[in-house]
Amino acid sequence: MKSFLLLIILNVFIASGVIGQCTIRGKVSDMNGETLIGATVYPKSKMSSGVSTDVKGDFSFKLPESGTEIIVVSFVGYKTLEDTVNCAKGIVIKNYTLESSIKTITAVVITAKASNGSEAQLERVKIKSSSTIDFISAETIKKTGDASVAGAVARITGVSTNSSGLITVRGVGDRYVKTTINGARIPTLDPFTNNIKLDIIPSSLVDNIVVSKTARPDLPGDWAGAYISIETKDYPDTLSLFLESSFGYNNQTTFKDVLSSERSATDWLGYDNGFRDYNHSAFVQFNDNPTTYQEMIALGLGSYYNSIGVTSNTPWSDTYYKLGL
């Protein structure tokens, strides 16, 4: 009898707890009436109690009786909706319609710039060219490691250079070769030739070098050997810093005892710490305006003039000069 009474009391407590809960049900759809699968519905005060809509767009979750509650409904691509619900005992039916948040873009403009320093781009230019051209790109220069334009352009077929940095194309040089940088002609100091020394231009500044060997309407007509067009790199968008260093030694002298003069303690750093300083007043001072008597003494005639009684205090005359000669 006592056990039966405890069971009845327990059922009463459970029933009262269930009746005290609030169940919120409903459906989530879009403006076209299409159900949204996987939309999130949750109470703002307790996000962990939220659920996702099923394949039919339906949702259902329970809340303890707490009066007013804010329900949040969200879905990817739609505006988040918040609804205030008076949560009482029983079931509350709420259907939500979400508005799309997708914005229509009228036009998209994609701007791209071809890299004139690549091998593929210059190869396309060569294929489309109506004349015979050869080239070397910045991409190839990086691989060869040429320090100047003279060394880089010599790798083009038919182009050769000499020790002075002047180039020859198919055996023709001097005034028959025209060189430009970014379309501007490079002037030369020699009136008898158009050829310039390309070893003064570092290869690190060059984007490509194109050598035209046949004439075209868009090129000047005052050349016969070759028209060399040097294109420099664009101004960089960000700061670029290039650091180059080298190290070398002489295996016959480095770290070995050799016959040499005395050295200061800082010679290995490349400067003297004052070890070689001298008193310059002890040296014979230079006379930039000597007298005729002093010139004769410098020629070794001092003993002769002393024998005839001529000294530095003797008034000088042309006779003494002739005697010295």
Side-chain angles (χ1 to χ4, degrees):
M1 186 64 183
K2 187 182 291 185
S3 299
F4 180 73
L5 183 60
L6 291 175
L7 182 60
I8 293 175
I9 296 174
L10 181 62
N11 288 332
V12 171
F13 277 107
I14 294 175
S16 63
V18 172
I19 294 173
Q21 288 182 339
C22 172
T23 301
I24 301 178
R25 293 180 181 176
K27 179 176 290 188
V28 180
S29 59
D30 61 8
M31 300 295 292
N32 298 323
E34 297 291 335
T35 57
L36 299 179
I37 303 172
T40 304
V41 184
Y42 59 90
K44 195 170 184 179
S45 62
K46 192 177 182 182
M47 297 177 60
S48 60
S49 300
V51 295
S52 298
T53 57
D54 57 15
V55 293
K56 294 182 181 180
D58 296 330
F59 68 92
S60 176
F61 62 92
K62 296 180 180 180
L63 290 176
E65 184 180 357
S66 61
T68 304
E69 183 65 55
I70 298 177
I71 305 301
V72 180
V73 184
S74 63
F75 191 67
V76 178
Y78 293 84
K79 296 180 180 179
T80 300
L81 185 146
E82 293 186 1
D83 182 30
T84 303
V85 177
N86 186 13
C87 188
K89 296 180 181 179
I91 299 174
V92 179
I93 305 298
K94 283 290 183 177
N95 296 324
Y96 297 107
T97 301
L98 298 184
E99 183 182 351
S100 175
S101 63
I102 300 176
K103 296 182 180 179
T104 304
I105 300 177
T106 57
V108 177
V109 179
I110 300 176
T111 304
K113 183 178 181 181
S115 176
N116 294 327
S118 65
E119 197 79 11
Q121 171 64 14
L122 292 175
E123 191 65 38
R124 286 192 292 268
V125 173
K126 182 178 180 180
I127 293 173
K128 296 180 181 180
S129 178
S130 60
S131 63
T132 302
I133 67 172
D134 281 309
F135 64 86
I136 184 168
S137 63
E139 184 179 336
T140 304
I141 295 175
K142 288 181 180 178
K143 296 177 182 178
T144 58
D146 295 312
S148 64
V149 171
V153 76
R155 299 183 183 276
I156 299 177
T157 304
V159 180
S160 60
T161 62
N162 53 27
S163 58
S164 60
L166 300 176
I167 67 169
T168 301
V169 182
R170 295 184 297 181
V172 180
D174 296 333
R175 60 194 179 96
Y176 300 103
V177 176
K178 180 68 67 178
T179 306
T180 62
I181 293 182
N182 297 332
R185 297 190 182 189
I186 304 177
T188 174
L189 298 177
D190 191 346
F192 300 103
T193 179
N194 290 324
N195 210 344
I196 66 170
K197 295 183 178 182
L198 296 180
D199 56 355
I200 62 175
I201 306 175
S203 60
S204 59
L205 302 178
V206 175
D207 207 10
N208 62 73
I209 305 172
V210 179
V211 178
S212 301
K213 299 178 181 178
T214 55
R216 294 204 315 263
D218 60 323
L219 298 180
D222 55 346
W223 59 274
Y227 182 85
I228 302 174
S229 175
I230 302 173
E231 296 290 335
T232 59
K233 294 180 178 179
D234 293 337
Y235 190 81
D237 297 330
T238 58
L239 175 63
S240 299
L241 178 63
F242 298 93
L243 179 63
E244 182 178 352
S245 63
S246 61
F247 176 78
Y249 73 98
N250 188 337
N251 58 1
Q252 296 180 350
T253 60
T254 304
F255 306 120
K256 294 184 179 181
D257 295 331
V258 295
L259 182 62
S260 65
S261 62
E262 292 184 273
R263 293 175 293 179
S264 68
T266 58
D267 280 1
W268 66 280
L269 293 176
Y271 73 94
D272 180 52
N273 63 355
F275 175 75
R276 297 174 179 83
D277 288 343
Y278 292 95
N279 183 11
H280 293 280
S281 62
F283 295 105
V284 177
Q285 299 300 313
F286 172 71
N287 186 1
D288 59 348
N289 188 22
T291 63
T292 306
Y293 173 78
Q294 291 172 336
E295 292 177 351
M296 293 298 180
I297 296 300
L299 293 176
L301 299 177
S303 59
Y304 169 72
Y305 282 113
N306 289 333
S307 65
I308 63 176
V310 179
T311 64
S312 59
N313 297 324
T314 304
W316 189 258
S317 65
D318 291 340
T319 303
Y320 300 143
Y321 177 75
K322 294 177 180 179
L323 290 175
L325 295 179

